Amino acid sequence: MIAYKEHTPTPTEFNSLSDAVGCGTKDSEILQEALKNTLYSLCVYDDNKLIGYGRIIGDKTIFLYIHNVMVLPEYQNQHIGSQIVTLLLEQVDVYRQVNPDIRTYICAAKGKESFYEKFGFITRPNDDLGPGMILY
């Protein structure tokens, strides 16, 4: 039975899911610290197996970042990813009560932009915003 839970996965669970979707794994200690500093964490389980995940990081007042939205390949196209994003956006609305102008960012995997556009996310650059950038 599929269940959505406000819960932080273990590093082992996270790495298993991340590796299965092609994002690789992280050092367990580093991952434990990252997950500990998450504002909001949402796991999707099929019985006791982690099949989906998404989290929100940020400062709760000026910016939020939806990150690590993942669903095991064999569970994709069953609206699990859509439900994860919907539930994460409900939590964003809670933070909006403090600042209605809070910015919420997301990093879409290449080719998945249209999935997030359904939720109102826009692609950068556009007429108002420059390109998103990253420092490696």
Side-chain angles (χ1 to χ4, degrees):
M1 182 167 126
I2 294 178
Y4 295 78
K5 298 179 182 179
E6 293 178 16
H7 176 73
T8 301
T10 67
T12 301
E13 286 178 311
F14 182 97
N15 272 333
S16 179
L17 179 59
S18 181
D19 199 37
V21 300
C23 293
T25 61
K26 306 270 187 267
D27 176 89
S28 290
E29 288 182 28
I30 291 172
L31 187 52
Q32 182 67 38
E33 184 68 17
L35 292 172
K36 180 178 85 173
N37 289 309
T38 297
L39 294 176
Y40 182 81
S41 185
L42 181 70
C43 293
V44 184
Y45 288 97
D46 187 356
D47 292 321
N48 293 321
K49 177 181 179 181
L50 182 68
I51 63 164
Y53 182 67
R55 67 186 181 128
I56 300 173
I57 58 177
D59 62 19
K60 297 196 300 188
T61 54
I62 296 172
F63 97 95
L64 300 171
Y65 183 66
I66 293 176
H67 196 51
N68 299 123
V69 176
M70 305 179 282
V71 176
L72 280 177
E74 60 267 30
Y75 288 87
Q76 291 177 7
N77 300 311
Q78 296 179 37
H79 305 288
I80 294 168
S82 294
Q83 185 65 17
I84 291 170
V85 174
T86 297
L87 292 169
L88 292 174
L89 290 175
E90 286 178 7
Q91 185 62 36
V92 167
D93 287 341
V94 171
Y95 298 127
R96 269 205 177 100
Q97 293 172 10
V98 174
N99 177 10
D101 297 322
I102 197 168
R103 288 245 173 138
T104 304
Y105 301 90
I106 198 161
C107 183
K110 190 171 184 164
K112 300 293 185 184
E113 298 87 353
S114 62
F115 173 78
Y116 295 104
E117 287 171 351
K118 295 184 295 188
F119 297 96
F121 287 94
I122 58 172
T123 302
R124 294 177 66 178
N126 59 39
D127 291 340
D128 296 323
L129 302 169
M133 301 176 79
I134 190 168
L135 174 65
Y136 279 108

